[in-house]
Amino acid sequence: MGNTILTGRSNAIAPIISAEDARTHITEEEYRRIRQAFQRFKNGCINYDEFCYHVLGGAQIPEDKRRLLFSFFSHGAETISFDNLLSSLVGLCRVEEVQSSKGFLNFSTNSFFSGFIEEYHEFASWGLSPPKLTIPLNDSYISFYEVMSYVTHLSVKEVIELEKVFATISDRAVCKLNVEKWKQALGGCFPDTYAERLFAVFDENRDCQIDFRELVCTLSALCRGPHPGRISQLARIWDVDCDKLLSDEELSNMYADLGVPVEHQTVTKSANGKAALVDFGIWAQENERYIAKYYSMALQIGHICLGLRPESKKMELQVVNEFESRASELPLSEWNIVASGWHSEYRTLLEAERTPNPIDNSGIKGTREDSWTSRVACISAESARLKPDLLPMDYIRVPVPLWRAWLRWHGCALTVDSQFTRKYLDGEFFEDNKPSLELYPLEILFLGHDRKKSHDGTETTPRSLTPWACAQVSRSMTVTELRLGDGDARLWQVVKENEEGNVLLDDGNQNLHQLYTALGKTKKVNKMKLLLEVRERGTGVWPEELRASLSGKQITAASTLSSSNAQLSGRPGAVGLVNYGNFCYRNAGIQCLARVSPLTQYLLEDEHLDELKKANTKRRDAVETTIEYAKLLREMWAAKKKNIAPNDFNDAIRMNSDMFECSEQHDCQEFVAFLLDQLHTSMYEANKTLHPPPPAKDPKKEEENHEIEETDEEKAERSWTEYEKQNESLVTQLFTGQLRSRLVCRTCQSSSSVFEPFTSLSLPIGFEDVDLYQVIGKISYSSLYQFIVSPVVHRDGRIPRRYGFRLSRDSKIGHLREVVAASSGISMSHITIQCMSSKGTLMSRSPNHRSSNLRDELPLSSFPSGARLYALELPESTGEDEWRVAMHRKLQYNHEPHILGSTAGFIVSRFGLPLIVGLDEHVTGKKLYEDVMYQMHRFMEHSVNSFSSRAHDPCEDDASGFPFTLCLVDQNYEWCGQCPALRFCRGCPIRPDDNKVFIPANSPIAVDWFPIALYLRYNHSEEQACEDDPSVAETWSRHFAPSSLEHCIEKFSCPETLDAAIQCDRCEKKTTRDKVMTIWKLPKYLIIHLKRFEFLREQGRMGKCKRTVNFPLKHFDPAPFVDKPDGNTYECIALANHYGQLSCGHFIAYAKSNEDKWLLLNDCSVREVSEEEVDKQGAYLLFYERKDVK
């Protein structure tokens, strides 16, 4: 064979042993498992990639050796058949048996196998110690289900079924049942106090979460085993201090809750004046009538809500009858509809001790053939319809938890369309105005726009609507609950009766019933068509707004149909603007600027427009833009339409501006500045033409006047006068203020001032381009600072303490070690920083660096966002190479592990906090184990399942006395760090004896837990515990807390040190100067721009600051920040908000109406909102009006 790898079927090599002969060398169980594994491959064969992953398990084997193995398994073919797989596996893994078998000693006919073993020395050792063909479950692995069955009264099958239910009711992120999920599982069918107390019974370790182990063991104690033991567990409902004893106070509460008269309050106190659980159990059996209700509810929760199948048909009938009897009158919001016929049959069969039939709702199920929704897929949880005109005798209603239990226990006769979940609604949704069950929810057909465009890619005609999907939803559902997609999708109601076309669902608080009422629909209507509109990503076009623009029709918003907003119709300025491109930034800017009454009133008067048209000016672009803007204002103030398509205005912008000629998203602030400049230019040029300015003064005299030393007040007045003369317009009068720029000598404090005009005040916020995630030690980046929350892990096993730091962007590992040492009191030489990726692997260093320590010169920015930083305490008197990082590891097989023990059925999971293991020159294996055990004592459960009568700790049977094995592994903690890859070794174990051990350099250590010990003794809740130093809250507040408008103005005026030195007349030399910008004079209308966008040089992109800026809508007093305050206050009249990112975000506006009411103006929709509803979090531009003191 040599080094040739044969791949063609024409060169196929004969099998080294036939499949029939191979079967004689393996057991039936091994054959079954290999066969079952092979059946998982869809094509009936294994290709090269599948072989590397499923057979070799992703082991880090060199490419040439993988190809060689594949060629051997495939016998030179392109794929591996089952017979070739079987014969090759047996040939490799049963070397001695095959070679010594009859007929195989003739190596002349089997030279391929002989040559493979002899020529490739990497495989030679397989003859002495071949890999395992399969992993015997009973020898090498004990499943979690077997462990839990061993320590409880449940079977393996019951544990597996419980796990499936637990996955559906728990929080999948942490695989635990918190209080909120617990309440959802119970479905509101039990008293709140009882539910809370029973939750505490399940939550044995008191971490406010129930893990699967706690669930299984508590269910076993309450619902299985001897009856006295079950009853005894109820006492824990009143065991507030969790000492498994009832004090006098706890007994008193128990008597009160159960309504026990004084003469029967006779629970024995056998444990030092307290009642043990067994004492309660004895009393309860004698007084069962008092605890019957509590015990019954415990059984109902355990069987119906949490998923434990009743142990007998008699028990099922009892539990279900009691649950139905108690829950029938509960005020639940949701119920399931079940056919009365099946329900009667179900009870009859249980009473006869017979197995009930699957749920059969065919008798109440309607058809979809007569519905237009039958043409498309259903996207709601349910698609079935009930028969029309059902009578109360045809069905019963049951709580949702019982329906789910029936499905688990008995299944359903109908594979699809068998579930009917219905809401119980108030009378306002029904004709008789009586609360009732909504048997017939709305049928909604979702339409979409046809994606086809014209050949040249232009949009010239409205797109047609095509059916997309259907759904069944309740009339009580709001638009927000119904909305699909993100900010690039909107919903419209398709209404033929509306002359203007479809209705935009812009008010998220409206429910579907209100939409019907607003459109004059009757309450019998059961069908509705909705249009899902998706904005074009390339052009930003909304198809429906394009339709309105092309057809000239109005867009009707649902909010304007409601009684609270109907009065908006006819109000000047309360008009929406159609967005038929990426023009939301224009619409928001126009809506804000239109609230400046003097400017709007000026442009609404004919005489001023006539002056602009008659003016002889070269800036016709500015005049055209101004005229079109004035026309747009006239349409808005005429208020004859609900919304306007500003086509002519947008055409003028496109013709007169290179910046805004494309349909890409732009900045609203830049557009407002551009529009103000156009308005100013046209007005100034008109004034200059109609009213020529006086002749300019002699420049020489002006220079002579300037040589006279002036005060800042005189400079400011002269500068302002000159600016007004050169820029006389209404825009200047309304929007222009004055800034003072001072250069202050840092040596002698002398200063010089320059005065500059401004029309908008751009304020810094305090930039952090971050998304907020509360993860231990997670790195979050900003342009200037990094917010680091680093837990310090001590070697004595105490709870780690977290410290918070705000470090500069260019900080390095060495600086982090320094600040951690200063905060924790640990010497810097005894701290190592370790970084763990989001996948659980240590990101330690470059491959050529042999030390386990991160180098001090590594920048923190080199680690990806989401990585976790740990500061670990090192052992005393250890050098750099005298310690290793150990990680917890779980080696997990699936139910049927197979083939070499390293297939996809094998999973390596890393978890927990990293540990530091000291390696002095005399270290022994036993000392290493004891060191790890000492650091982990906090995670270990010392009393396992103490309340289960069958609880047992199999870990105590370990000969070594340790619940884990220490192994030498590679840098990924997946494979052995010593053995060749072809050995498929997961780590060479370190023996826990008194012999000295040798740990190779650059070899981490894995802490491999025994499955039983991991399931029963490792406390994952303690693993996540951390104490927060006050610095965490302090730095968190500084980094993420909302800012304020006042703070932003203060930052605007902060001194900035210039790089270049400037000649100082007083010092008579060049000195360093501070530049200080302050506000000298404010305009009548103050536009404030909150600088949310900055360029992130490290990331090469624009970033957005999402920090909230608090600002007043009324009585804003800028006096503390103005050099020459005038005593006036300001009131906010409009603001533009931005959501999303710069390139794909969205602008909206909030503005005051003429009636001093706030309006939400979102493109074509207009809605009146209260002052409290004005969203300040996304504020980008603020428009303030000065309220002059009378």
Side-chain angles (χ1 to χ4, degrees), residues 821-1014:
S823 298
S824 64
I826 303 174
S827 171
M828 184 175 174
S829 60
H830 287 87
I831 291 179
T832 177
I833 303 296
Q834 298 293 326
C835 183
M836 185 183 296
S837 72
S838 58
K839 296 182 179 179
T841 58
L842 288 179
M843 307 169 60
S844 53
R845 56 206 167 272
S846 62
N848 298 327
H849 200 262
R850 295 174 59 85
S851 170
S852 299
N853 201 10
L854 287 175
R855 302 192 306 277
D856 283 350
E857 61 270 19
L858 280 175
L860 293 174
S861 58
S862 64
F863 299 104
S865 179
R868 300 179 184 180
L869 289 178
Y870 292 94
L872 306 176
E873 182 183 11
L874 298 177
E876 293 289 339
S877 304
T878 56
E880 188 174 6
D881 292 324
E882 295 180 354
W883 54 271
R884 296 289 184 273
V885 180
M887 284 289 296
H888 300 281
R889 195 172 69 159
K890 178 175 66 172
L891 306 181
Q892 176 181 335
Y893 292 91
N894 286 346
H895 305 313
E896 294 291 335
H898 54 272
I899 306 175
L900 303 180
S902 57
T903 67
F906 191 90
I907 301 173
V908 177
S909 301
R910 296 168 292 272
F911 62 94
L913 296 173
L915 305 173
I916 296 296
V917 180
L919 303 176
D920 57 51
E921 56 182 353
H922 302 296
V923 69
T924 64
K926 184 178 181 181
K927 185 176 180 181
L928 286 180
Y929 277 78
E930 291 175 344
D931 186 9
V932 172
M933 196 70 176
Y934 175 69
Q935 297 185 59
M936 295 194 312
H937 70 269
R938 180 169 56 88
F939 307 142
M940 304 299 291
E941 290 279 5
H942 301 290
S943 176
V944 184
N945 307 327
S946 58
F947 55 84
S948 177
S949 58
R950 295 179 60 193
H952 175 66
D953 186 2
C955 310
E956 297 172 356
D957 297 335
D958 294 335
S960 65
F962 298 102
F964 53 82
T965 300
L966 300 182
C967 298
L968 300 178
V969 292
D970 61 4
Q971 298 298 320
N972 294 323
Y973 291 83
E974 289 193 6
W975 298 92
C976 183
Q978 307 304 310
C979 295
L982 290 170
R983 292 301 306 157
F984 303 106
C985 179
R986 290 290 180 176
C988 289
I990 302 172
R991 299 180 61 183
D993 54 25
D994 293 326
N995 295 323
K996 183 179 178 180
V997 297
F998 171 71
I999 309 296
N1002 210 25
S1003 179
I1005 296 175
V1007 183
D1008 285 351
W1009 282 80
F1010 300 143
I1012 298 178
L1014 180 62

Side-chain angles (χ1 to χ4, degrees), residues 533-600:
E533 179 192 28
V534 180
R535 181 164 59 178
E536 291 289 337
R537 291 193 177 274
T539 62
V541 171
W542 289 105
E544 280 300 287
E545 298 200 18
L546 176 65
R547 177 194 62 79
S549 174
L550 295 174
S551 63
K553 291 185 177 182
Q554 288 286 284
I555 291 178
T556 303
S559 59
T560 62
L561 301 177
S562 64
S563 58
S564 59
N565 288 304
Q567 55 185 340
L568 287 177
S569 180
R571 284 190 186 181
V575 176
L577 299 177
V578 175
N579 177 12
Y580 56 89
N582 256 329
F583 297 149
C584 60
Y585 69 96
R586 299 186 190 180
N587 293 346
I590 291 171
Q591 294 286 16
C592 290
L593 201 58
R595 310 304 145 175
V596 180
S597 299
L599 178 62
T600 299

Side-chain angles (χ1 to χ4, degrees), residues 90-164:
V90 173
L92 290 177
C93 303
R94 297 286 191 271
V95 178
E96 293 185 358
E97 295 180 22
V98 173
Q99 289 185 343
S100 61
S101 64
K102 182 178 179 180
F104 195 75
L105 294 176
N106 184 1
F107 284 93
S108 62
T109 59
N110 298 283
S111 58
F112 177 82
F113 176 73
S114 177
F116 182 85
I117 291 292
E118 293 177 1
E119 183 172 349
Y120 298 98
H121 59 85
E122 295 91 346
F123 307 99
S125 61
W126 285 10
L128 300 176
S129 178
K132 292 179 180 180
L133 180 64
T134 64
I135 304 296
L137 287 176
N138 56 342
D139 294 336
S140 301
Y141 180 67
I142 300 177
S143 71
F144 171 71
Y145 311 106
E146 291 173 319
V147 172
M148 298 311 300
S149 176
Y150 180 57
V151 300
T152 64
H153 301 283
L154 307 181
S155 67
V156 172
K157 182 180 179 180
E158 287 176 321
V159 176
I160 293 175
E161 289 181 352
L162 279 175
E163 184 184 47
K164 295 177 182 178

Side-chain angles (χ1 to χ4, degrees), residues 755-768:
F755 293 87
E756 305 170 358
F758 73 91
T759 54
S760 69
L761 197 60
S762 294
L763 302 181
I765 298 178
F767 195 85
E768 283 91 18

Side-chain angles (χ1 to χ4, degrees), residues 153 218-235 277-278 280-299 303 311 314-315 318-319 322 947 949:
H153 301 283
T218 309
L219 281 178
S220 171
L222 283 173
C223 305
R224 289 287 193 269
H227 185 71
R230 304 187 194 184
I231 298 297
S232 297
Q233 296 306 315
L234 285 180
L277 300 185
V278 66
F280 172 85
I282 295 173
W283 174 86
Q285 291 186 76
E286 298 174 352
N287 299 272
E288 192 168 350
R289 62 184 181 278
Y290 296 119
I291 59 105
K293 179 182 177 181
Y294 270 53
Y295 180 59
S296 174
M297 288 194 295
L299 291 179
H303 292 302
E311 53 193 320
K314 179 180 179 181
M315 174 61 72
Q318 174 188 335
V319 170
E322 293 174 352
F947 55 84
S949 58

Side-chain angles (χ1 to χ4, degrees), residues 805-825:
F805 309 103
R806 290 186 84 225
L807 305 180
S808 62
R809 180 74 174 166
D810 56 355
S811 293
K812 295 180 171 55
I813 288 292
H815 182 42
L816 178 60
R817 284 210 303 144
E818 183 180 344
V819 295
V820 169
S823 298
S824 64

